[in-house]
Amino acid sequence: MDRPLRFPRPLRPGDRIGVTSPSAGVEGAGAARIDFCVDWLRGRGYDVEVGECMDGSAITSAPAAQRAAELTRMLADPDIACVVPPWGGETAIDLVDLLDWDALAVAEPTWLVGYSDMSTLLLPVTTRLGWATLHGDNLADTPVEVPAGLMHWLDLAGGEGPFTQSGSGLVATWVRFEEDVRATQWRPVSSGAWQVEGDGSLDVSGRLIGGCIETIGHLAGTPYGDVRGWAEALDEPTIVYVEACESDAVDICRHLHGMRLAGWFDRAAAVLVGRTNAPDHRELTQREAVLDALGRLDLPIVWDLEIGHVPPHLPLVNGALARVVVDGDRQEISQTLA
């Protein structure tokens, strides 16, 4: 990163939001869901432009070069204030070296939003360009009502801050598109709370960076995942957040070791771990996987935040200055976009 950290301007009704699929496209009930979500955004006053890379008949929405060109165009277009995908996918990594990084370097920052496979793009846009990016709901989940304690990603992208969120206590799942393409509620499953490893308390501050372990882990050691270099350039503590989607505990353990060896946690003041339904290995749990890789770093670890593939979702801004407090019933994260 050779530019200081920059934040996109606040997103307002009337602004244009670009929709493109840098990874998986849409079809069937999923396409009907995305049509509903586009109408939902338009009903709230946003001008929505849907790109050409949206086909859901294959593993990706279009060839990598076409997806990279459309994403570059939308991010560099001064008339587009925000870009959001329908959802994640599997292989967004195939276009990270095809984006026109030189064109983006001279453009004004644009909000890039999403999670899951979108982490593969959010992270290098922050670490290479210095643009803040927003790890939050993809378009398919954008109309879902946000539970008490959390904020909608549109409110983070549209406000001045600082923004404070607290644990929602809710553990939920999705309503299948085949059941209801217009669903706007999570389906409750149980309750949950943030927990500091060792049952202690925590009050730390740092710049947020992170994402989905299975996708960002492959960027470690490449020019597109130089978290250590980014943190050194900022010369500030970081707070690294991670979440597992579906890989078993051994694979998660390997990824986290690779990230550790690449220096991702060298400047970390704490690690935040998202709630997960990813499977344990017969001889290793998901928690044990994290502790095997990161326990030797003597860093505070906070478990079970709403930042992953178990809804609801607590949106985080890569690059935001965050303060995390966990002390008894107080479970709180504040973000300042400066």
Side-chain angles (χ1 to χ4, degrees), residues 10-23:
L11 181 66
R12 307 291 195 215
D15 285 340
R16 182 171 300 166
I17 296 177
V19 176
T20 183
S21 301
S23 189

Side-chain angles (χ1 to χ4, degrees), residues 52-70:
E52 296 181 359
C53 298
M54 295 291 288
D55 181 23
S57 61
I59 193 169
T60 59
S61 65
Q66 184 180 348
R67 285 180 282 125
E70 181 160 278

